[in-house]
Amino acid sequence: MSSNGTPAARDQRPLPRPRMRAAAAALALAGVLAATAPTAQAAAHGGTGGSRCGGRGVDSGALIRYESDILVKAPLRTVWKLQTDVERWPSWQPPVTTMERLDQGPLRKGSRFRWTTPAPATPTTPATTLEITSTVQRLRDGDCILWKGPATGEGLRIDEGVHLWTFKKVRGGVRVHTEETWTGDQVEADVRTATEALGQGLEAWLRDLKATAEARSGGRPH
């Protein structure tokens, strides 16, 4: 279903106008709320960035979608460990207020985790806390992870969020790419606001991941 750092330049792709204002959880998910630089990309309706993990990607039919990426100057093992050690998310992502693994052992296909994040009020929904239950659909060690699940709060529901992350070693560090889609009658009633919230959450997540990984590695990519 997010510590602040300065985002590296992201690859820009012209994507549609749903851009968002209110903050909600990035599901995948998830949910991280903070003002971010507008490098974002609301992906075109009916299309995706085409990234996959084990042959699967985000929901190609979803009206609400967003994708972005960032260069992290840290070793791949550091970035991967941060992202997949979900129980420690609250230690470096302030908007993740609680986290609970629903099974044991290393994160793998079928693993489930439940977490919460605040969602401020929007013109159509009240301020609330979203509870997100995520199930890992695909995971390739050091390469990619895909999870999905619903997010519910008082007066707000996302029926399903599908969240994909990919990691690629490049010159200077790791290129982290993320895509997420949301579906559900309530969020689809205001696609613009929902996409804005999703984008803000993902940009903040990328920024926190970059800052934490680079702090732990001293900004050394290898």
Side-chain angles (χ1 to χ4, degrees):
M1 203 265 210
S2 271
S3 11
N4 289 336
T6 302
R10 298 167 177 77
D11 295 339
Q12 302 279 332
R13 290 183 279 279
L15 296 163
R17 256 337 187 263
R19 301 275 323 201
M20 310 209 45
R21 268 180 47 234
L27 251 180
L29 67 218
V32 238
L33 312 167
T36 62
T39 58
Q41 344 237 63
H45 293 328
T48 73
S51 297
R52 295 286 184 270
C53 185
R56 293 186 61 174
V58 296
D59 187 343
S60 62
L63 296 178
I64 300 160
R65 60 182 62 254
Y66 191 93
E67 63 178 282
S68 190
D69 61 284
I70 197 168
L71 176 65
V72 181
K73 297 177 182 178
L76 175 58
R77 64 182 177 277
T78 300
V79 181
W80 178 258
K81 174 68 173 176
L82 274 172
Q83 186 69 332
T84 56
D85 189 1
V86 299
E87 291 171 286
R88 295 183 182 274
W89 281 359
S91 71
W92 59 272
Q93 294 192 73
V96 179
T97 51
T98 67
M99 167 61 74
E100 176 189 10
R101 276 289 301 271
L102 302 179
D103 47 34
Q104 297 181 340
L107 204 66
R108 61 195 181 277
K109 182 179 177 180
S111 291
R112 300 173 66 241
F113 49 97
R114 182 179 298 123
W115 47 294
T116 58
T117 190
T122 77
T124 57
T125 59
T128 189
T129 296
L130 284 172
E131 181 179 271
I132 304 160
T133 303
S134 300
T135 302
V136 177
Q137 304 296 302
R138 294 287 188 274
L139 184 149
R140 295 174 59 178
D141 188 40
D143 180 36
C144 62
I145 184 169
L146 176 77
W147 63 70
K148 70 176 183 178
T152 58
E154 187 173 351
L156 177 60
R157 176 178 174 85
I158 301 166
D159 290 352
E160 184 173 80
V162 185
H163 200 171
L164 171 69
W165 293 83
T166 64
F167 306 83
K168 183 179 180 180
K169 289 181 69 173
V170 296
R171 185 172 183 177
V174 178
R175 177 65 62 181
V176 180
H177 179 81
T178 187
E179 301 179 22
E180 186 168 356
T181 54
W182 288 351
T183 55
D185 290 345
Q186 188 174 21
V187 287
E188 289 168 8
D190 188 348
V191 171
R192 181 184 181 89
T193 297
T195 307
E196 178 81 11
L198 174 58
Q200 288 178 354
L202 292 184
E203 293 293 339
W205 194 327
L206 286 171
R207 186 174 64 233
D208 287 345
L209 180 63
K210 174 182 173 68
T212 307
E214 290 182 355
R216 292 191 180 183
S217 64
R220 294 185 298 274
H222 303 294

